[in-house]
Amino acid sequence: NAGVTQTPKFQVLKTGQSMTLQCAQDMNHNSMYWYRQDPGMGLRLIYYSASEGTTDKGEVPNGYNVSRLNKREFSLRLESAAPSQTSVYFCASSPWDHRETQYFGPGTRLLVL
Amino acid sequence: AQKITQTQPGMFVQEKEAVTLDCTYDTSDPSYGLFWYKQPSSGEMIFLIYQGSYDQQNATEGRYSLNFQKARKSANLVISASQLGDSAMYFCAMREGTGGFKTIFGAGTRLFVKA
């Protein structure tokens, strides 16, 4: 039981490049989330998926797209990376009936030059 | 708009003593949830405790308790009998509605436990 896994762990991009961050959970959770954490700040919600087949914008969605591929997987795509997207990205999941408890992945550290 | 404020950038506590980490919030929604998460230096986020706005009693989870004062809009985390392993960043967070999905986080408080 791996919980929430994220790949890659670390990535360097040049401005304008694209990439997809992968997230998978094996806890059979309905809901999944993508956050970013900038230095000295708490997490900010980018997008979330309440259940398979649905996605919604969070606090800071601009510059990102998401795909809920199936119940297990929720990916985050940067179409044209910008230096302002340098951050640590966390994926999380929660059960439908206990949304207060989010289980987080280990994070992806992204540097955009 | 919802807002979470953590005014203590850093806190020191002696091992085995209790410590309170402050959190105030602002929302116009009568229904909300309040959380605390721990982030050790390794980077992962660990859920600690949850309080619903309609819960009558303060939440407790082992050595963690949440001092919920609704009228003052505060949700302070109390850690009893601090341990060296409690050294970490602590984030207060709030979710809209009892069944909502959007969660906002405070800027965090870094706790240092001294031996």
Side-chain angles (χ1 to χ4, degrees), chain A residues 1 19 38 44 52 55 60 64 67 76-77 85-86 92 96 105-106 110 112:
Chain A
N1 189 343
M19 80 162 295
D38 300 317
R44 291 184 292 171
E52 186 179 357
T55 60
V60 288
Y64 305 95
S67 295
L76 178 73
R77 183 161 179 83
Q85 295 179 304
T86 293
W96 180 266
L110 177 66
V112 183

Short mmCIF file of all heavy atoms in Angstrom, two decimals, chain A residues 1 19 38 44 52 55 60 64 67 76-77 85-86 92 96 105-106 110 112:
data_model
loop_
_atom_site.label_atom_id
_atom_site.label_comp_id
_atom_site.label_asym_id
_atom_site.label_seq_id
_atom_site.Cartn_x
_atom_site.Cartn_y
_atom_site.Cartn_z
N ASN A 1 0.85 -1.20 0.00
CA ASN A 1 0.00 0.00 0.00
C ASN A 1 0.88 1.24 0.00
O ASN A 1 1.42 1.64 1.02
CB ASN A 1 -0.89 -0.03 1.23
CG ASN A 1 -1.94 1.07 1.18
OD1 ASN A 1 -1.83 2.01 0.42
ND2 ASN A 1 -2.98 0.93 1.99
N MET A 19 5.18 20.03 -19.55
CA MET A 19 5.39 18.77 -18.85
C MET A 19 4.13 18.38 -18.10
O MET A 19 3.26 19.24 -17.85
CB MET A 19 6.57 18.84 -17.89
CG MET A 19 6.30 19.51 -16.57
SD MET A 19 7.52 19.09 -15.30
CE MET A 19 7.25 17.34 -15.09
N ASP A 38 4.84 27.54 -2.37
CA ASP A 38 5.94 28.46 -2.63
C ASP A 38 6.65 28.78 -1.32
O ASP A 38 6.04 28.68 -0.24
CB ASP A 38 5.40 29.74 -3.28
CG ASP A 38 4.72 29.43 -4.60
OD1 ASP A 38 5.26 28.62 -5.37
OD2 ASP A 38 3.63 29.98 -4.86
N ARG A 44 -1.47 26.17 -1.83
CA ARG A 44 -2.58 26.78 -2.55
C ARG A 44 -3.14 25.77 -3.54
O ARG A 44 -2.40 25.14 -4.29
CB ARG A 44 -2.13 28.06 -3.27
CG ARG A 44 -1.78 29.20 -2.32
CD ARG A 44 -1.44 30.47 -3.08
NE ARG A 44 -0.20 30.34 -3.81
CZ ARG A 44 0.24 31.24 -4.69
NH1 ARG A 44 -0.49 32.29 -4.98
NH2 ARG A 44 1.39 31.05 -5.30
N GLU A 52 -14.29 10.73 -9.92
CA GLU A 52 -13.87 10.39 -11.26
C GLU A 52 -14.80 11.03 -12.29
O GLU A 52 -16.02 10.97 -12.16
CB GLU A 52 -13.90 8.86 -11.40
CG GLU A 52 -13.35 8.34 -12.70
CD GLU A 52 -13.38 6.82 -12.76
OE1 GLU A 52 -13.78 6.19 -11.75
OE2 GLU A 52 -13.03 6.27 -13.80
N THR A 55 -13.64 17.67 -12.71
CA THR A 55 -12.53 18.49 -12.24
C THR A 55 -13.03 19.92 -12.06
O THR A 55 -13.94 20.35 -12.78
CB THR A 55 -11.34 18.49 -13.23
OG1 THR A 55 -11.77 19.01 -14.49
CG2 THR A 55 -10.78 17.09 -13.42
N VAL A 60 -5.65 28.88 -7.66
CA VAL A 60 -4.66 29.37 -8.61
C VAL A 60 -4.58 28.47 -9.83
O VAL A 60 -3.54 27.85 -10.10
CB VAL A 60 -3.27 29.53 -7.94
CG1 VAL A 60 -3.24 30.70 -6.99
CG2 VAL A 60 -2.86 28.24 -7.21
N TYR A 64 -2.39 26.04 -15.83
CA TYR A 64 -2.41 24.59 -15.58
C TYR A 64 -3.65 23.95 -16.18
O TYR A 64 -4.69 24.59 -16.31
CB TYR A 64 -2.42 24.31 -14.07
CG TYR A 64 -1.30 24.93 -13.29
CD1 TYR A 64 -1.48 26.15 -12.64
CD2 TYR A 64 -0.07 24.29 -13.17
CE1 TYR A 64 -0.47 26.73 -11.92
CE2 TYR A 64 0.95 24.86 -12.43
CZ TYR A 64 0.75 26.08 -11.81
OH TYR A 64 1.76 26.65 -11.09
N SER A 67 -6.15 16.32 -15.67
CA SER A 67 -6.92 15.20 -16.23
C SER A 67 -7.10 14.17 -15.13
O SER A 67 -6.12 13.73 -14.52
CB SER A 67 -6.19 14.56 -17.41
OG SER A 67 -6.08 15.45 -18.48
N LEU A 76 -1.39 16.65 -13.69
CA LEU A 76 -1.33 18.11 -13.79
C LEU A 76 -0.39 18.47 -14.93
O LEU A 76 0.74 18.02 -14.95
CB LEU A 76 -0.81 18.72 -12.48
CG LEU A 76 -0.64 20.23 -12.44
CD1 LEU A 76 -2.00 20.91 -12.39
CD2 LEU A 76 0.19 20.64 -11.23
N ARG A 77 -0.86 19.29 -15.85
CA ARG A 77 -0.06 19.65 -17.02
C ARG A 77 0.23 21.14 -17.06
O ARG A 77 -0.67 21.96 -16.86
CB ARG A 77 -0.75 19.22 -18.31
CG ARG A 77 0.08 19.51 -19.57
CD ARG A 77 -0.35 18.71 -20.75
NE ARG A 77 0.45 19.03 -21.94
CZ ARG A 77 1.64 18.50 -22.22
NH1 ARG A 77 2.18 17.59 -21.40
NH2 ARG A 77 2.29 18.83 -23.32
N GLN A 85 6.07 29.55 -12.11
CA GLN A 85 5.56 28.23 -11.75
C GLN A 85 6.60 27.37 -11.03
O GLN A 85 6.32 26.20 -10.70
CB GLN A 85 5.03 27.52 -12.99
CG GLN A 85 3.82 28.22 -13.59
CD GLN A 85 3.29 27.54 -14.84
OE1 GLN A 85 4.03 27.35 -15.82
NE2 GLN A 85 2.02 27.18 -14.83
N THR A 86 7.76 27.95 -10.77
CA THR A 86 8.73 27.27 -9.92
C THR A 86 8.13 27.10 -8.54
O THR A 86 7.74 28.08 -7.89
CB THR A 86 10.02 28.10 -9.83
OG1 THR A 86 10.66 28.11 -11.11
CG2 THR A 86 10.97 27.51 -8.79
N ALA A 92 -2.82 15.21 -3.53
CA ALA A 92 -3.46 14.65 -2.34
C ALA A 92 -4.74 13.93 -2.74
O ALA A 92 -5.29 14.17 -3.82
CB ALA A 92 -3.77 15.74 -1.31
N TRP A 96 -14.47 10.10 0.01
CA TRP A 96 -15.65 10.95 -0.19
C TRP A 96 -16.30 11.31 1.13
O TRP A 96 -16.72 12.44 1.34
CB TRP A 96 -16.65 10.22 -1.08
CG TRP A 96 -17.88 11.02 -1.34
CD1 TRP A 96 -19.06 10.98 -0.65
CD2 TRP A 96 -18.04 12.02 -2.35
NE1 TRP A 96 -19.96 11.89 -1.18
CE2 TRP A 96 -19.35 12.53 -2.22
CE3 TRP A 96 -17.22 12.52 -3.35
CZ2 TRP A 96 -19.85 13.53 -3.05
CZ3 TRP A 96 -17.72 13.52 -4.19
CH2 TRP A 96 -19.01 14.00 -4.03
N GLY A 105 0.95 13.22 -1.25
CA GLY A 105 2.13 12.59 -1.84
C GLY A 105 3.39 13.30 -1.36
O GLY A 105 3.32 14.30 -0.65
N PRO A 106 4.55 12.80 -1.78
CA PRO A 106 5.82 13.36 -1.30
C PRO A 106 6.20 14.68 -1.97
O PRO A 106 7.13 15.35 -1.52
CB PRO A 106 6.84 12.27 -1.65
CG PRO A 106 6.23 11.57 -2.82
CD PRO A 106 4.75 11.61 -2.61
N LEU A 110 9.74 21.55 -8.78
CA LEU A 110 9.87 22.01 -10.16
C LEU A 110 10.59 23.34 -10.22
O LEU A 110 10.25 24.28 -9.51
CB LEU A 110 8.48 22.17 -10.80
CG LEU A 110 8.46 22.71 -12.23
CD1 LEU A 110 9.11 21.72 -13.18
CD2 LEU A 110 7.03 23.01 -12.68
N VAL A 112 11.74 26.20 -13.00
CA VAL A 112 11.60 26.70 -14.36
C VAL A 112 12.60 27.84 -14.56
O VAL A 112 12.55 28.86 -13.86
CB VAL A 112 10.16 27.20 -14.64
CG1 VAL A 112 10.05 27.64 -16.11
CG2 VAL A 112 9.15 26.11 -14.34
#
